């Protein structure tokens, strides 16, 4: 029945944790058949239960992805504690084991014998490129990074990072597939430390950290600059387009904008403390004191639910606005 | 009638352009009586017309601020081409003339004789601190920066930046007033180049610029990293709270998070090109080529409307979620 629904390629998810579960729901939302693998049958059945419960909840809340019902999507997802069985007939493999280079190496060595000439094997790694662990594989040219952002079901970005040996067709196929299931992939030309997302994120944290240490603003006010100032804009418009749109009566486009304002930006960034910046413990302790006033340790879990509710609501709003425009 | 509605202090807006109009609508939304000043009566009446039309539109669209009707708010806003008349009885003055230091100096010199011991005079300047033009004023201790973000009606952040002579009570009063009308003020302890918002913004652009020049990603993909990755999160949670919430099974709070992950961030930022960065024209021309594929010059105005519609919708969503939580 499930295959009748889709007739699409099969997806193998290696690792049944939160990220693996999210990937399974994303691919099923796109109409793909998915098999979740983990070592212990209990892990697999627990993951399937969570996925089932989440998809049902998302349907009720109106934030289920894709055009199939929750029941249909659940029907597309199965589990296995046999790696061979999971990989059989799969054309795309998304590995989601913990972020440890030796573990990644071991898992990829186990996958290697099953990699066919039509298969792509992606790691969900947030900072370890395939160059660090896949070099000895026979099929290393079919491996790459596809790094999702938390929570992947509501934050569509995926960083595609090819290794030095990854075939261009493998990179291209990954991008096409991820776009087909509603993610928003970007393609890096090569591995760099932090990929793109964390390079931007650390740029932000560095300056926030330096301003805090310098006594310029409180930690709460620093976070407000983003949440009530830059953040809403960045939910819809990137930093480069922002420069283009900021062209005003005096300037007509991004080039004019740079000619007029680049020197001012240069002067401001001349006063930056040069990187690298170490996020030191005494400063972290001071910030923690402030942050804990609103989010004490026992409320962190609750606040994560609060965050994910908002991200889900924003994803729904963006979808609705997009449908209105298209 | 209007004064019966509020009984609150009066606000003087100096400059009838887009920012001045926004401030007028924000204060009227909070129930304050507002007078908009500009040199020519035509400028003033044109601004009043626009404000009237905007408030009526916002009411129809369901994004009018405050608890008064559009008609009531319009009744609170008047105009004048006499500076003296505008400043009379005002307890808070928001200057919104173009960002030119000599012009700011001239305008503040004209305002100075009318400054009373209960008055605050704020400039909307995005980068010029009062130390650069208010030093010769008799009442310089009652001046400071209150820098809004575009479009101020939907982006609540205001950067309060005291000059070296600003009285603490003046800074505190400004913060209280801006909070009372629904803005989200942050207080810097002193003037620094770029204040806080542009320091963060330039940190982001710098790294994006460097990644683009390095051929790491396309301009479109760089903007996607923000819009589909970091941006949605930053619409609700600041960079410091993000570190706190990212504490996971291995770490329990921001301090643990730093102990475990600071070295990784340090290593990534070790590969950054040290600031200052000049946004050079050849690179801007390359980026423009890409950006113009989706937003050609003749569509910039339309795209700004597109952006402001989204910011209004997000502001409404945030308000709705807040009311649900509170």
């Amino acid at each position: 029945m499930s295959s009748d629904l889709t007739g699409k390629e099969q997806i193998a998810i290696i690792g049944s944790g939160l990220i693996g579960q999210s990937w399974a729901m994303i691919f099923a939302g796109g109409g793909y058949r998915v098999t979740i693998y983990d070592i212990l049958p209990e892990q697999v059945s627990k993951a399937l239960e969570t996925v089932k419960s989440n998809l049902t909840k998302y349907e009720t809340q109106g934030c289920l992805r894709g055009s199939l019902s929750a029941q249909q999507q659940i029907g597309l997802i199965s589990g296995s504690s046999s790696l061979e069985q999971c990989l059989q007939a799969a054309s795309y493999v998304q590995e989601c084991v913990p972020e440890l280079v030796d573990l990644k190496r071991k898992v990829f060595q186990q996958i290697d014998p099953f990699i066919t000439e039509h298969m792509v094997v992606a790691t969900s790694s947030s900072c370890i490129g395939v160059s660090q662990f896949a070099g000895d594989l026979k099929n290393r040219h079919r491996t790459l990074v596809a790094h999702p952002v938390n929570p992947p079901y509501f934050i569509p970005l995926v960083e595609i990072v090819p290794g030095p040996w990854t075939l261009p067709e493998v990179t291209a196929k990954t991008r096409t597939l991820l776009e087909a299931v509603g993610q928003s992939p970007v393609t890096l030309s090569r591995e760099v430390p932090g990929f793109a997302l964390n390079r931007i994120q650390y740029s932000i944290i560095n300056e926030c950290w330096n301003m805090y240490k310098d006594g310029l603003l409180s930690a709460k006010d620093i976070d407000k600059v983003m949440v009530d100032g830059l953040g809403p804009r960045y939910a819809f418009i990137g930093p480069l387009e922002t420069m283009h749109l900021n062209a005003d009566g005096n300037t007509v486009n991004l080039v004019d904008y740079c000619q007029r304002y680049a020197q001012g930006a240069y002067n401001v960034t001349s006063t930056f403390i040069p990187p690298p910046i170490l996020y030191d413990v005494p400063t972290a302790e001071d910030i923690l004191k402030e942050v804990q006033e609103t989010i004490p340790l026992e409320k962190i879990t609750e606040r994560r639910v609060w965050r994910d509710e908002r991200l889900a609501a924003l994803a729904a709003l963006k979808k609705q606005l997009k449908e209105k425009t298209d």
Side-chain angles (χ1 to χ4, degrees), chain A residues 10-290:
Chain A
Q10 290 205 32
I11 310 294
I13 307 290
I14 309 302
S16 65
L18 286 176
I19 295 295
Q21 293 166 23
S22 296
W23 277 118
M25 294 189 292
I26 288 165
F27 284 114
Y32 287 81
R33 299 189 67 181
V34 181
T35 308
I36 302 177
Y37 164 82
D38 217 322
I39 299 172
L40 303 173
E42 308 83 279
Q43 295 175 299
V44 175
S45 54
K46 200 181 151 202
L48 290 174
E49 277 311 304
T50 310
V51 161
K52 194 174 163 174
S53 140
N54 280 341
L55 289 174
T56 310
K57 185 179 72 185
Y58 295 157
E59 186 169 58
T60 311
Q61 292 170 343
C63 58
L64 186 72
R65 293 171 59 149
S67 53
L68 302 175
S69 72
Q71 204 49 51
Q72 287 174 314
Q73 295 187 25
I74 290 165
L76 292 172
I77 305 172
S78 60
S80 176
S81 57
S82 151
L83 185 63
E84 185 172 355
Q85 194 184 33
C86 177
L87 295 172
Q88 221 169 25
S91 56
Y92 182 86
V93 181
Q94 184 76 42
E95 167 273 308
C96 322
V97 304
E99 192 85 354
L100 300 162
V101 67
D102 289 340
L103 181 61
K104 300 266 180 200
R105 184 179 294 112
K106 190 179 148 199
V107 170
F108 270 70
Q109 279 168 349
Q110 291 170 345
I111 296 171
D112 196 26
F114 303 106
I115 301 178
T116 67
E117 275 311 297
H118 303 289
M119 204 187 271
V120 169
V121 187
T123 172
S124 300
S125 171
S126 65
C127 62
I128 307 172
V130 291
S131 71
Q132 291 184 53
F133 60 83
D136 294 336
L137 302 186
K138 187 164 75 79
N139 297 296
R140 61 179 187 270
H141 55 286
R142 305 201 70 79
T143 66
L144 81 179
V145 170
H147 168 224
V149 184
N150 235 339
Y153 198 77
F154 299 114
I155 299 286
L157 186 78
V158 182
E159 295 186 283
I160 298 175
V161 190
W165 44 67
T166 307
L167 291 172
E169 71 199 57
V170 167
T171 308
K173 184 183 165 178
T174 304
R175 183 160 178 138
T176 304
L177 173 68
L178 294 176
E179 281 172 348
V181 297
Q183 292 303 93
S184 177
V186 297
T187 311
L188 278 70
S189 59
R190 62 181 193 281
E191 289 178 8
V192 289
F195 306 155
L197 180 133
N198 275 321
R199 292 183 78 84
I200 297 177
Q201 180 162 234
Y202 294 147
S203 303
I204 295 167
I205 297 174
N206 279 3
E207 186 51 29
C208 292
W209 199 267
N210 293 338
M211 290 194 298
Y212 181 82
K213 277 187 86 162
D214 196 29
L216 193 63
L217 294 89
S218 70
K220 279 181 195 165
D221 275 7
I222 287 173
D223 275 354
K224 267 196 203 172
V225 173
M226 194 58 95
V227 172
D228 293 329
L230 292 167
R233 199 193 277 168
Y234 287 142
F236 298 104
I237 291 178
L240 299 175
E241 188 185 326
T242 297
M243 294 170 91
H244 190 51
L245 293 189
N246 277 355
D248 51 31
N250 302 314
T251 62
V252 294
N253 63 30
L254 193 144
V255 173
D256 289 329
Y257 182 84
C258 283
Q259 282 174 321
R260 183 171 282 256
Y261 299 113
Q263 189 61 45
Y266 184 90
N267 294 344
V268 170
T269 66
S270 299
T271 66
F272 282 7
I273 298 171
I277 305 295
L278 188 69
Y279 309 146
D280 62 290
V281 169
T283 306
E285 282 169 345
D286 287 344
I287 296 173
L288 180 62
K289 263 181 224 149
E290 257 195 72

